[in-house]
Amino acid sequence: DRLNIAPENWQKLTTQFTKVFHGAVGRPQKLDNYCASLEIKRRANYKQCEKLLG
């Protein structure tokens, strides 16, 4: 509840983390900031972060 993550998403995050993500992970805005700071144009995990961490 404190993280504002749906229970089904939390289960997927905790049981399949390395299968779902490869690289940087975070809420979409934080991921945008991270990629901008490193001048990375391709955000490999963006859709998964958006879906699971929203």
Side-chain angles (χ1 to χ4, degrees):
D1 287 335
R2 287 186 307 154
L3 297 175
N4 197 26
I5 298 174
E8 59 275 2
N9 291 348
W10 179 252
Q11 182 178 11
K12 189 169 188 173
L13 286 167
T14 58
T15 60
Q16 301 176 15
F17 191 87
T18 57
K19 292 179 185 175
V20 175
F21 297 110
H22 309 290
V25 176
R27 296 207 183 266
Q29 181 159 351
K30 296 293 184 181
L31 194 56
D32 286 339
N33 295 343
Y34 173 77
C35 290
S37 71
L38 295 179
E39 298 179 358
I40 299 171
K41 295 184 192 257
R42 186 172 181 270
R43 298 168 297 183
N45 295 319
Y46 194 80
K47 289 292 182 189
Q48 288 292 46
C49 288
E50 195 172 46
K51 177 182 173 187
L52 297 172
L53 302 172

